[in-house]
Amino acid sequence: MTVSTSDEYRKLITPGSCVACHSHLCQLLPADRRDAAQGLLELNRGSRLEAVEGGGFPRLWNIVRGVAAITTLLADGRRQVIGLHYPGDTVWAPEPVGGTIAWLEAQTDCWICQIDTSAASHAASANEALQARLFTLVQRQLEEQAARIVTLGRLDGYERLCLYLGELASRIGRPMGREILISLPMSRADIGDYLGLNAETVSRILARIRKDGLVKFVSPTQMIIPDLARLEKAVPIATPGQRQAARLRNTATSGGARLATNGPARAGGAS
Amino acid sequence: MTVSTSDEYRKLITPGSCVACHSHLCQLLPADRRDAAQGLLELNRGSRLEAVEGGGFPRLWNIVRGVAAITTLLADGRRQVIGLHYPGDTVWAPEPVGGTIAWLEAQTDCWICQIDTSAASHAASANEALQARLFTLVQRQLEEQAARIVTLGRLDGYERLCLYLGELASRIGRPMGREILISLPMSRADIGDYLGLNAETVSRILARIRKDGLVKFVSPTQMIIPDLARLEKAVPIATPGQRQAARLRNTATSGGARLATNGPARAGGAS
DNA sequence: CGGGTAATTGAGCACTCTCAAGGACGGTGG
DNA sequence: CCACCGTCCTTGAGAGTGCTCAATTACCCG
């Protein structure tokens, strides 16, 4: 993990006019604690960020740039990516619990703004805007995790990968006319860790999805999605777009929370 | 869903001296909203409780008695149990999102205390104790869901069931000397929906666990765990030492933290 | 142009699913 | 009390999906 002090940031995070992110969550902290409570970190690909004990109040990670995974390990070395987060996301940092630990791991070079609300809590418990924002944020993260539980519990590999590609397309895809260009931020093995598969299976299923014409390969890490709707139709669930629209409807009333959101959605599958 | 008004409750929930639960979360609500914000519900086995829009503030379900599952029903009738909750648990009620709805479903007869913090939020945002309590509660739920993601993503059926039995033992098991007696609150099919398996597989694996001596059957829904420690040893939960070792293995290859091998064979799953 | 990592592909196997047939259990009515 | 019935549980056979192991092939970077 690298703490950067480059000029590029200094400009971004000028106190009082930080433009690093769109959430401006830090602005809701009490003015005298704003500096202590935030810090923009630069993480190189593969480096990690572990939450420390927050004393009961949340530590938040705001993904300013890049893609970062919340990851954990089993005793035997098996690995699972619990969540995958994109620019604009704010993550409730997982605290160490009973021998198990999860950390944030940069999948690409990242800028992460760390916000420690414990610094704010005592002075700002009356801060209703902050509280509302935190609730919205937590609600979203609970939903995303619930969706991932369904994905891992009930979707097969093909569906999981279609979901993943759709997620990438809507979060970091670059529209090119009617098509969408995506750069995969993770290796096959990492994708496998995210989707509960292994690297070879990911590779094989990707080949199958390509053969079905749902995606075109530019290189192993760059692909083009000719028709997002068709890709999403391969997954018998609400699409990220639909969910986002629904959430905008939902949150429109409550305190102007307007983070672009998504996350894998609901699943079909067997039973 | 049944709203009970039986005498048995009336005694329990006498305002100001409610002893229905141990959380006493409702006591943290402002006094004038306490009645509006809570209500003790009786759910018969199989009945449901749906959250409604909370305006950005959480609706909480406090499990006083019984076992309840947060469940989603897919368009084709298949189910996924997202979470399973026991007496003493407080659940952040899932709000309807994008056409997908999750609800609480009583696995056994339940008493549920519903707490609506939106009633409290405006008057009591300064209530630091309540806020701290909510954070703790959310933190725990996020952790539980993260653990379930790992379970579904990386544990095989045998491990998932051992975990489930251990969970039951520690939450609703009755100690009998050195052994623990548990009454399964769910059918094989429901357990399958919880663990991402199907009913037949659950039955088969249960038979295998029995043959391995980790559990003794009293009846199909009552079992005895002779040695909880031995059961838990079947699940690779990371101890600090093991985690350290695994991390060293994991980081040894490169800064990218790659992993040579993945989880156990897990197949099927859907379609 | 080498060295190393990442990705692909193949063969064989393990785990879980589907479909199907009995068996155990509890409730009901005769 | 017992036959009947529905539900849940068990067990079997066969098929499907994904994993392991292993060998290439492609790609990146110096």
Side-chain angles (χ1 to χ4, degrees):
Chain A
M1 161 177 124
T2 306
V3 177
S4 170
T5 55
S6 78
D7 289 342
E8 194 170 3
Y9 299 147
R10 286 277 171 245
K11 279 186 295 185
L12 282 175
I13 63 173
T14 305
S17 64
C18 173
V19 291
C21 71
H22 300 292
S23 87
H24 298 307
L25 200 57
C26 54
Q27 309 276 333
L28 298 176
L29 300 176
D32 61 321
R33 305 305 298 272
R34 208 168 287 166
D35 293 340
Q38 82 168 20
L40 188 61
L41 307 171
E42 180 181 30
L43 299 191
N44 296 321
R45 180 173 197 282
S47 57
R48 298 173 179 180
L49 186 58
E50 284 184 12
V52 292
E53 185 59 41
F57 286 92
R59 198 176 303 270
L60 304 176
W61 288 326
N62 192 356
I63 315 295
V64 176
R65 184 173 175 279
V67 176
I70 307 294
T71 306
T72 193
L73 278 183
L74 298 185
D76 54 12
R78 276 178 275 178
R79 204 172 112 111
Q80 176 68 47
V81 171
I82 293 166
L84 191 56
H85 300 281
Y86 305 90
D89 286 350
T90 302
V91 184
W92 187 294
E95 300 202 10
V97 185
T100 310
I101 206 169
W103 60 87
L104 181 145
E105 186 166 318
Q107 298 298 306
T108 66
D109 293 346
C110 282
W111 295 352
I112 311 276
C113 177
Q114 186 169 232
I115 299 169
D116 182 358
T117 64
S118 69
S121 64
H122 302 297
S125 62
N127 188 334
E128 202 171 316
L130 174 62
Q131 192 178 342
R133 197 56 167 278
L134 289 175
F135 282 167
T136 303
L137 198 148
V138 160
Q139 180 76 33
R140 188 168 62 84
Q141 196 160 345
L142 285 170
E143 282 161 16
E144 281 175 5
Q145 290 194 351
R148 271 182 63 58
I149 288 170
V150 178
T151 298
L152 295 173
R154 289 297 181 217
L155 288 189
D156 68 13
Y158 192 96
E159 293 165 323
R160 290 182 208 180
L161 268 157
C162 287
L163 197 61
Y164 174 70
L165 293 175
E167 184 185 313
L168 285 180
S170 61
R171 294 310 302 270
I172 57 172
R174 271 167 296 175
M176 298 174 60
R178 197 173 295 280
E179 306 186 324
I180 299 176
L181 174 67
I182 53 177
S183 297
L184 305 199
M186 307 158 82
S187 70
R188 300 293 188 266
D190 286 330
I191 296 170
D193 288 336
Y194 180 51
L195 299 176
L197 303 169
N198 76 7
E200 296 92 331
T201 300
V202 169
S203 184
R204 268 184 268 263
I205 293 175
L206 238 26
R208 194 143 53 92
I209 293 175
R210 172 167 62 162
K211 206 167 58 184
D212 292 345
L214 293 175
V215 74
K216 291 184 287 190
F217 281 35
V218 177
S219 77
T221 59
Q222 281 219 329
M223 11 196 103
I224 290 174
I225 296 174
D227 185 351
L228 183 58
R230 203 153 63 85
L231 183 71
E232 287 174 337
K233 222 164 29 185
V235 186
I237 56 167
T239 67
Q242 290 169 329
R243 287 169 57 81
Q244 182 162 353
R247 182 143 31 216
L248 287 176
R249 276 200 307 278
N250 286 345
T251 53
T253 49
S254 59
R258 43 119 240 119
L259 289 178
T261 64
N262 91 329
R266 291 296 130 80
S271 176
Chain B
M1 152 180 133
T2 306
V3 178
S4 171
T5 56
S6 77
D7 290 342
E8 194 170 3
Y9 299 148
R10 287 276 171 248
K11 280 186 295 185
L12 281 175
I13 64 171
T14 306
S17 64
C18 174
V19 292
C21 69
H22 298 292
S23 85
H24 298 305
L25 201 57
C26 55
Q27 309 276 336
L28 298 176
L29 300 177
D32 61 321
R33 305 303 300 269
R34 207 168 289 167
D35 292 341
Q38 81 166 24
L40 189 60
L41 307 172
E42 179 181 32
L43 300 190
N44 296 322
R45 181 175 197 280
S47 57
R48 298 174 180 178
L49 187 57
E50 284 183 13
V52 293
E53 184 58 42
F57 287 92
R59 198 176 302 271
L60 305 176
W61 287 327
N62 193 356
I63 315 295
V64 177
R65 185 172 175 278
V67 177
I70 306 295
T71 306
T72 59
L73 182 58
L74 305 168
D76 49 19
R78 291 170 293 194
R79 298 184 342 146
Q80 173 69 40
V81 172
I82 292 166
L84 191 57
H85 301 280
Y86 305 90
D89 286 350
T90 303
V91 183
W92 187 293
E95 300 203 10
V97 186
T100 311
I101 293 181
W103 61 85
L104 180 145
E105 187 167 318
Q107 298 297 307
T108 66
D109 293 345
C110 283
W111 293 353
I112 311 273
C113 178
Q114 185 169 230
I115 300 169
D116 181 358
T117 64
S118 70
S121 64
H122 302 297
S125 62
N127 188 334
E128 200 171 318
L130 174 62
Q131 193 177 340
R133 197 58 166 279
L134 289 175
F135 282 166
T136 303
L137 198 149
V138 160
Q139 180 77 34
R140 194 155 64 86
Q141 195 160 344
L142 284 170
E143 282 157 14
E144 280 173 8
Q145 290 195 349
R148 271 183 61 59
I149 288 170
V150 176
T151 299
L152 295 173
R154 285 294 177 229
L155 296 188
D156 65 16
Y158 192 95
E159 292 166 323
R160 291 181 208 181
L161 268 157
C162 287
L163 197 61
Y164 174 70
L165 293 175
E167 184 183 313
L168 284 180
S170 60
R171 295 308 301 270
I172 58 171
R174 271 167 297 174
M176 297 176 61
R178 198 173 295 280
E179 306 185 324
I180 300 177
L181 174 68
I182 54 179
S183 297
L184 305 199
M186 308 158 81
S187 70
R188 301 294 188 266
D190 287 330
I191 296 171
D193 288 335
Y194 181 51
L195 299 177
L197 302 169
N198 75 5
E200 295 93 331
T201 300
V202 170
S203 185
R204 269 185 267 264
I205 293 175
L206 239 25
R208 195 144 52 92
I209 293 175
R210 173 167 62 162
K211 208 167 58 184
D212 292 345
L214 293 174
V215 74
K216 291 183 286 189
F217 280 35
V218 176
S219 77
T221 58
Q222 281 218 329
M223 9 196 104
I224 291 174
I225 296 174
D227 185 351
L228 183 57
R230 203 152 63 86
L231 184 70
E232 288 174 337
K233 220 161 36 182
V235 184
I237 299 297
T239 66
Q242 291 170 325
R243 228 190 330 110
Q244 176 81 4
R247 187 155 350 153
L248 290 175
R249 274 202 307 281
N250 208 24
T251 43
T253 45
S254 75
R258 271 299 49 262
L259 187 60
T261 55
N262 264 321
R266 74 168 298 290
S271 297

